[in-house]
Each structure stands twice: as C-alpha cells, then as structure tokens.
Amino acid sequence: MNSKLKLFGIAALIGAVLSYIAETTFYNGVDADGELQESFFLPLTFILAALGIVMLLASLFVRKHK
C-alpha cells in the first residue's frame, strides 16, 4: 500500500510537470488581439500537484501490513 501511494504520488507530480510544460508551450500569454489564452492545463497542473503531494504525505503515515 505504501509503495503504491508513493508511485501514484510521483506519477501525479510528473503529470503536473508535463501539464505545466504544455501550458507554457502552447497557451502562454496574450495573443495579438489582446485576449488572454487559457487552457485546461493550468488548473490540471495545480490539481495534479496537490494530489501528488497529498499522496506522498499519506505514504509517510500509512503503516505497512505484513
């Protein structure tokens, strides 16, 4: 159980990093018309980062079963 939480936590953090890279690469800034370019990647970055941190912290407190 503990190693699965760590694995999913690390995978969520990697997903957050990839989502942030996609956000800054494709949807960064204001276009020529003065409109802000937004996407789903920025909220997804924060959701995945929070989920990954919570899972890693939970893996510290979960006991290992024999």
Coordinates of all heavy atoms in Angstrom, one line a residue:
M1 N 0.8 -1.2 0.0 CA 0.0 0.0 0.0 C 0.9 1.3 0.0 O 0.6 2.2 -0.7 CB -0.9 0.0 1.2 CG -1.8 1.1 1.3 SD -3.1 1.0 0.2 CE -4.3 2.2 0.8
N2 N 1.9 1.2 0.8 CA 2.8 2.4 0.9 C 3.5 2.7 -0.4 O 3.6 3.8 -0.8 CB 3.8 2.2 2.1 CG 4.5 3.4 2.5 OD1 4.2 4.5 2.0 ND2 5.5 3.3 3.3
S3 N 4.0 1.7 -1.0 CA 4.7 1.9 -2.3 C 3.8 2.3 -3.4 O 4.2 3.0 -4.3 CB 5.5 0.6 -2.7 OG 4.6 -0.4 -2.9
K4 N 2.6 1.8 -3.4 CA 1.6 2.3 -4.4 C 1.3 3.7 -4.2 O 1.1 4.5 -5.2 CB 0.3 1.4 -4.3 CG 0.4 0.0 -4.8 CD -0.9 -0.7 -4.7 CE -0.7 -2.1 -5.1 NZ -2.0 -2.9 -5.0
L5 N 1.1 4.2 -3.0 CA 0.9 5.6 -2.8 C 2.0 6.5 -3.3 O 1.9 7.5 -3.9 CB 0.6 5.9 -1.3 CG -0.8 5.6 -0.8 CD1 -0.8 5.8 0.7 CD2 -1.8 6.5 -1.4
K6 N 3.3 6.0 -3.0 CA 4.4 6.7 -3.5 C 4.5 6.8 -5.0 O 4.8 7.8 -5.6 CB 5.7 6.1 -2.9 CG 6.0 6.5 -1.5 CD 7.4 5.9 -1.1 CE 7.7 6.1 0.3 NZ 8.9 5.5 0.7
L7 N 4.2 5.6 -5.6 CA 4.2 5.5 -7.1 C 3.2 6.5 -7.7 O 3.5 7.2 -8.6 CB 4.0 4.1 -7.5 CG 4.0 3.8 -9.0 CD1 5.4 4.1 -9.5 CD2 3.6 2.4 -9.3
F8 N 2.0 6.4 -7.2 CA 0.9 7.3 -7.7 C 1.2 8.8 -7.4 O 0.9 9.6 -8.2 CB -0.4 6.9 -7.2 CG -1.0 5.6 -7.8 CD1 -1.4 4.6 -7.0 CD2 -1.0 5.4 -9.2 CE1 -1.9 3.4 -7.6 CE2 -1.5 4.3 -9.7 CZ -1.9 3.3 -8.9
G9 N 1.8 9.1 -6.3 CA 2.2 10.4 -6.0 C 3.2 11.0 -6.9 O 3.1 12.1 -7.4
I10 N 4.2 10.2 -7.2 CA 5.3 10.6 -8.1 C 4.7 10.7 -9.5 O 5.1 11.7 -10.2 CB 6.4 9.6 -8.0 CG1 7.1 9.7 -6.7 CG2 7.4 9.8 -9.2 CD1 8.2 8.6 -6.4
A11 N 3.8 9.8 -9.9 CA 3.2 9.9 -11.2 C 2.4 11.2 -11.4 O 2.4 11.8 -12.4 CB 2.4 8.6 -11.5
A12 N 1.7 11.5 -10.3 CA 0.8 12.7 -10.3 C 1.7 14.0 -10.4 O 1.4 14.9 -11.2 CB 0.0 12.8 -9.1
L13 N 2.9 14.0 -9.7 CA 3.8 15.1 -9.8 C 4.4 15.2 -11.2 O 4.6 16.3 -11.7 CB 4.8 15.0 -8.7 CG 4.4 15.3 -7.3 CD1 5.5 15.1 -6.3 CD2 3.8 16.7 -7.2
I14 N 4.7 14.1 -11.8 CA 5.3 14.1 -13.2 C 4.2 14.6 -14.1 O 4.5 15.4 -15.0 CB 5.8 12.7 -13.6 CG1 7.0 12.3 -12.8 CG2 6.0 12.6 -15.1 CD1 7.5 10.9 -12.9
G15 N 2.9 14.2 -13.9 CA 1.9 14.7 -14.8 C 1.7 16.2 -14.6 O 1.4 16.9 -15.6
A16 N 1.9 16.7 -13.4 CA 1.8 18.1 -13.1 C 2.9 18.9 -13.9 O 2.6 19.9 -14.5 CB 1.8 18.4 -11.6
V17 N 4.1 18.3 -13.9 CA 5.2 19.0 -14.6 C 4.9 19.0 -16.1 O 5.1 20.0 -16.8 CB 6.5 18.3 -14.3 CG1 7.6 18.8 -15.2 CG2 6.9 18.5 -12.8
L18 N 4.4 17.9 -16.6 CA 4.1 17.8 -18.1 C 3.0 18.7 -18.4 O 3.0 19.4 -19.5 CB 3.8 16.4 -18.4 CG 5.0 15.4 -18.4 CD1 4.5 14.0 -18.7 CD2 6.1 15.8 -19.3
S19 N 2.0 18.8 -17.6 CA 0.9 19.7 -17.8 C 1.4 21.2 -17.8 O 0.9 22.0 -18.6 CB -0.2 19.5 -16.8 OG -1.3 20.3 -17.0
Y20 N 2.2 21.5 -16.9 CA 2.8 22.9 -16.8 C 3.6 23.2 -18.1 O 3.5 24.3 -18.6 CB 3.7 23.1 -15.6 CG 4.3 24.4 -15.5 CD1 3.5 25.5 -15.2 CD2 5.7 24.6 -15.8 CE1 4.1 26.8 -15.1 CE2 6.2 25.8 -15.7 CZ 5.5 26.9 -15.4 OH 6.1 28.2 -15.4
I21 N 4.4 22.2 -18.5 CA 5.2 22.4 -19.8 C 4.2 22.7 -21.0 O 4.5 23.5 -21.8 CB 6.1 21.3 -20.0 CG1 7.2 21.3 -18.9 CG2 6.7 21.3 -21.4 CD1 8.1 20.0 -18.9
A22 N 3.2 21.9 -21.0 CA 2.2 22.1 -22.1 C 1.5 23.4 -22.1 O 1.3 24.1 -23.1 CB 1.2 20.9 -22.1
E23 N 1.2 23.9 -20.9 CA 0.6 25.2 -20.7 C 1.5 26.3 -21.1 O 1.1 27.2 -21.9 CB 0.2 25.4 -19.2 CG -0.2 26.8 -18.8 CD -1.6 27.1 -19.4 OE1 -2.4 26.3 -19.6 OE2 -1.8 28.3 -19.6
T24 N 2.8 26.3 -20.7 CA 3.7 27.3 -21.1 C 4.1 27.3 -22.5 O 4.4 28.3 -23.1 CB 4.9 27.3 -20.2 OG1 5.6 26.1 -20.3 CG2 4.6 27.6 -18.8
T25 N 4.1 26.1 -23.1 CA 4.5 26.0 -24.5 C 3.4 26.4 -25.5 O 3.6 27.1 -26.4 CB 4.9 24.5 -24.8 OG1 5.9 24.1 -24.0 CG2 5.3 24.3 -26.3
F26 N 2.2 26.0 -25.2 CA 1.1 26.2 -26.2 C 0.2 27.4 -25.9 O -0.4 28.0 -26.8 CB 0.2 24.9 -26.4 CG 1.0 23.8 -26.9 CD1 1.2 22.7 -26.1 CD2 1.6 23.8 -28.1 CE1 1.9 21.6 -26.5 CE2 2.4 22.7 -28.6 CZ 2.5 21.6 -27.8
Y27 N 0.0 27.7 -24.6 CA -1.1 28.6 -24.2 C -0.5 29.7 -23.3 O -1.1 30.1 -22.3 CB -2.2 27.9 -23.5 CG -2.9 26.9 -24.3 CD1 -2.6 25.6 -24.1 CD2 -3.8 27.3 -25.2 CE1 -3.3 24.6 -24.9 CE2 -4.5 26.3 -26.0 CZ -4.2 25.0 -25.8 OH -4.9 24.1 -26.6
N28 N 0.6 30.3 -23.6 CA 1.2 31.2 -22.7 C 1.0 32.7 -23.2 O 1.3 33.0 -24.4 CB 2.7 31.0 -22.6 CG 3.4 31.7 -21.5 OD1 2.7 32.3 -20.7 ND2 4.7 31.8 -21.5
G29 N 0.4 33.5 -22.4 CA 0.4 34.9 -22.7 C -0.9 35.4 -23.3 O -1.9 34.8 -23.3
V30 N -0.7 36.6 -24.0 CA -1.8 37.3 -24.6 C -1.6 37.2 -26.1 O -0.5 37.5 -26.6 CB -1.9 38.7 -24.1 CG1 -3.0 39.5 -24.8 CG2 -2.0 38.8 -22.6
D31 N -2.6 37.0 -26.9 CA -2.5 36.9 -28.3 C -2.5 38.3 -29.0 O -2.6 39.3 -28.3 CB -3.5 36.0 -29.0 CG -4.9 36.5 -28.8 OD1 -5.1 37.5 -28.2 OD2 -5.8 35.8 -29.3
A32 N -2.4 38.4 -30.3 CA -2.3 39.7 -31.0 C -3.6 40.5 -30.8 O -3.5 41.7 -30.9 CB -2.1 39.4 -32.5
D33 N -4.7 39.9 -30.6 CA -6.0 40.6 -30.4 C -6.1 41.1 -28.9 O -7.1 41.8 -28.6 CB -7.2 39.7 -30.7 CG -7.2 39.3 -32.2 OD1 -6.7 40.1 -33.0 OD2 -7.7 38.3 -32.5
G34 N -5.2 40.8 -28.1 CA -5.3 41.3 -26.7 C -6.1 40.3 -25.8 O -6.5 40.7 -24.7
E35 N -6.4 39.1 -26.3 CA -7.1 38.2 -25.5 C -6.2 37.2 -24.8 O -5.2 36.8 -25.3 CB -8.1 37.4 -26.4 CG -9.2 38.2 -27.0 CD -10.1 37.4 -27.8 OE1 -10.0 36.1 -27.8 OE2 -10.9 37.9 -28.6
L36 N -6.5 36.9 -23.5 CA -5.7 36.0 -22.7 C -5.9 34.6 -23.2 O -7.1 34.2 -23.3 CB -6.0 36.2 -21.3 CG -5.3 35.3 -20.3 CD1 -3.8 35.6 -20.3 CD2 -5.8 35.4 -18.9
Q37 N -4.9 33.9 -23.5 CA -5.0 32.5 -23.9 C -5.0 31.6 -22.7 O -4.0 31.6 -21.9 CB -3.9 32.1 -24.8 CG -3.9 32.8 -26.1 CD -2.7 32.4 -27.0 OE1 -1.8 31.6 -26.6 NE2 -2.7 32.8 -28.2
E38 N -6.1 30.9 -22.4 CA -6.2 30.0 -21.3 C -6.5 28.6 -21.8 O -7.1 28.4 -22.8 CB -7.3 30.4 -20.4 CG -7.0 31.8 -19.7 CD -8.1 32.2 -18.8 OE1 -9.0 31.3 -18.5 OE2 -8.1 33.3 -18.3
S39 N -6.1 27.6 -21.0 CA -6.4 26.2 -21.3 C -6.8 25.5 -20.0 O -6.8 26.0 -18.9 CB -5.2 25.6 -22.0 OG -4.2 25.4 -21.0
F40 N -7.0 24.2 -20.2 CA -7.3 23.3 -19.1 C -6.1 22.9 -18.4 O -6.1 22.3 -17.3 CB -8.1 22.1 -19.6 CG -8.5 21.2 -18.5 CD1 -9.4 21.6 -17.5 CD2 -8.0 19.9 -18.5 CE1 -9.8 20.7 -16.5 CE2 -8.4 19.0 -17.5 CZ -9.3 19.4 -16.5
F41 N -4.9 23.1 -19.0 CA -3.7 22.6 -18.5 C -3.2 23.3 -17.2 O -2.7 22.6 -16.3 CB -2.5 22.7 -19.5 CG -2.7 21.8 -20.6 CD1 -2.9 22.2 -21.9 CD2 -2.6 20.4 -20.5 CE1 -3.0 21.4 -23.0 CE2 -2.7 19.5 -21.5 CZ -2.9 20.0 -22.8
L42 N -3.5 24.6 -17.0 CA -3.1 25.2 -15.8 C -3.8 24.7 -14.6 O -3.2 24.4 -13.6 CB -3.2 26.7 -15.9 CG -2.6 27.6 -14.8 CD1 -1.2 27.3 -14.6 CD2 -2.9 29.0 -15.0
P43 N -5.2 24.6 -14.6 CA -5.8 24.1 -13.4 C -5.5 22.6 -13.2 O -5.3 22.1 -12.0 CB -7.3 24.2 -13.7 CG -7.4 25.2 -14.8 CD -6.1 25.2 -15.5
L44 N -5.2 21.9 -14.3 CA -4.8 20.5 -14.2 C -3.5 20.4 -13.5 O -3.2 19.5 -12.7 CB -4.8 19.8 -15.6 CG -4.5 18.3 -15.6 CD1 -5.6 17.6 -14.9 CD2 -4.4 17.9 -17.0
T45 N -2.6 21.3 -13.7 CA -1.3 21.3 -13.1 C -1.4 21.4 -11.6 O -0.8 20.7 -10.8 CB -0.4 22.5 -13.6 OG1 -0.3 22.4 -15.0 CG2 0.9 22.6 -12.9
F46 N -2.3 22.4 -11.1 CA -2.4 22.5 -9.7 C -3.2 21.3 -9.0 O -2.8 20.9 -7.9 CB -3.2 23.8 -9.4 CG -2.4 25.1 -9.7 CD1 -2.8 25.9 -10.7 CD2 -1.3 25.3 -9.0 CE1 -2.1 27.1 -11.0 CE2 -0.5 26.5 -9.3 CZ -0.9 27.3 -10.3
I47 N -4.1 20.8 -9.7 CA -4.8 19.6 -9.2 C -3.9 18.4 -9.1 O -3.9 17.8 -8.0 CB -6.0 19.3 -10.1 CG1 -7.1 20.4 -10.0 CG2 -6.6 17.9 -9.7 CD1 -8.2 20.3 -11.0
L48 N -3.1 18.2 -10.1 CA -2.2 17.0 -10.1 C -1.1 17.2 -9.0 O -0.7 16.3 -8.3 CB -1.6 16.8 -11.4 CG -2.5 16.2 -12.5 CD1 -1.8 16.1 -13.8 CD2 -3.0 14.8 -12.0
A49 N -0.6 18.5 -8.9 CA 0.5 18.7 -7.9 C -0.1 18.5 -6.5 O 0.6 17.9 -5.7 CB 1.0 20.2 -8.1
A50 N -1.3 19.1 -6.2 CA -1.9 18.9 -4.9 C -2.1 17.4 -4.6 O -1.8 16.9 -3.5 CB -3.1 19.7 -4.8
L51 N -2.6 16.7 -5.6 CA -2.9 15.3 -5.4 C -1.6 14.5 -5.2 O -1.6 13.6 -4.3 CB -3.6 14.7 -6.6 CG -4.1 13.3 -6.6 CD1 -5.2 13.2 -5.5 CD2 -4.7 12.9 -7.9
G52 N -0.6 14.8 -5.9 CA 0.7 14.2 -5.7 C 1.3 14.4 -4.4 O 1.8 13.5 -3.7
I53 N 1.2 15.7 -3.9 CA 1.8 16.0 -2.6 C 1.0 15.3 -1.5 O 1.6 14.7 -0.5 CB 1.8 17.5 -2.4 CG1 2.8 18.1 -3.3 CG2 2.0 17.9 -0.9 CD1 2.7 19.6 -3.4
V54 N -0.3 15.3 -1.6 CA -1.2 14.6 -0.6 C -0.9 13.1 -0.6 O -0.7 12.5 0.5 CB -2.7 14.8 -0.9 CG1 -3.5 13.9 -0.1 CG2 -3.0 16.3 -0.6
M55 N -0.7 12.5 -1.7 CA -0.4 11.0 -1.8 C 1.0 10.7 -1.2 O 1.2 9.7 -0.5 CB -0.4 10.5 -3.2 CG -1.8 10.4 -3.7 SD -1.8 9.6 -5.3 CE -3.5 9.4 -5.7
L56 N 2.0 11.6 -1.5 CA 3.3 11.4 -0.9 C 3.3 11.5 0.6 O 3.9 10.8 1.4 CB 4.3 12.3 -1.5 CG 4.7 11.9 -2.9 CD1 5.7 13.0 -3.5 CD2 5.3 10.5 -3.0
L57 N 2.6 12.5 1.1 CA 2.4 12.7 2.6 C 1.7 11.6 3.2 O 2.0 11.1 4.3 CB 1.8 14.0 2.9 CG 2.6 15.3 2.6 CD1 1.7 16.5 2.9 CD2 3.8 15.3 3.5
A58 N 0.6 11.1 2.5 CA -0.1 9.9 3.1 C 0.8 8.7 3.1 O 0.6 7.9 4.0 CB -1.4 9.7 2.2
S59 N 1.7 8.5 2.2 CA 2.5 7.4 2.2 C 3.5 7.4 3.4 O 4.0 6.3 3.8 CB 3.3 7.3 0.9 OG 4.3 8.3 0.8
L60 N 3.7 8.6 3.9 CA 4.6 8.6 5.1 C 3.9 8.1 6.4 O 4.5 7.7 7.3 CB 5.1 10.1 5.3 CG 6.0 10.6 4.2 CD1 6.3 12.1 4.5 CD2 7.3 9.9 4.2
F61 N 2.6 8.3 6.4 CA 1.8 8.0 7.6 C 1.1 6.6 7.6 O 0.6 6.2 8.6 CB 0.8 9.1 7.8 CG 1.4 10.4 8.1 CD1 1.3 11.4 7.2 CD2 2.1 10.6 9.3 CE1 1.9 12.7 7.5 CE2 2.7 11.8 9.5 CZ 2.6 12.9 8.6
V62 N 1.1 6.0 6.4 CA 0.4 4.7 6.3 C 1.3 3.6 6.8 O 2.5 3.5 6.4 CB 0.0 4.4 4.8 CG1 -0.6 3.0 4.7 CG2 -1.1 5.4 4.4
R63 N 0.8 2.7 7.6 CA 1.6 1.6 8.1 C 1.7 0.5 7.1 O 0.8 0.3 6.3 CB 1.0 1.0 9.4 CG 1.1 1.9 10.6 CD 0.6 1.1 11.8 NE 0.3 2.0 12.9 CZ -0.2 1.6 14.0 NH1 -0.5 0.3 14.1 NH2 -0.4 2.4 15.0
K64 N 2.8 -0.2 7.1 CA 2.9 -1.3 6.2 C 2.3 -2.5 6.9 O 2.5 -2.8 8.1 CB 4.4 -1.6 5.9 CG 5.1 -0.6 5.1 CD 6.5 -1.0 4.8 CE 7.1 0.0 3.9 NZ 8.5 -0.4 3.5
H65 N 1.5 -3.3 6.1 CA 0.9 -4.5 6.6 C 1.8 -5.7 6.3 O 2.4 -5.7 5.2 CB -0.5 -4.7 6.1 CG -1.4 -3.6 6.5 ND1 -2.0 -3.5 7.7 CD2 -1.9 -2.5 5.8 CE1 -2.8 -2.5 7.8 NE2 -2.8 -1.8 6.7
K66 N 1.8 -6.7 7.2 CA 2.6 -7.9 6.9 C 1.9 -8.8 6.0 O 0.8 -9.0 5.8 CB 2.9 -8.6 8.2 CG 3.9 -7.8 9.0 CD 4.2 -8.6 10.3 CE 5.3 -7.9 11.1 NZ 5.7 -8.6 12.3

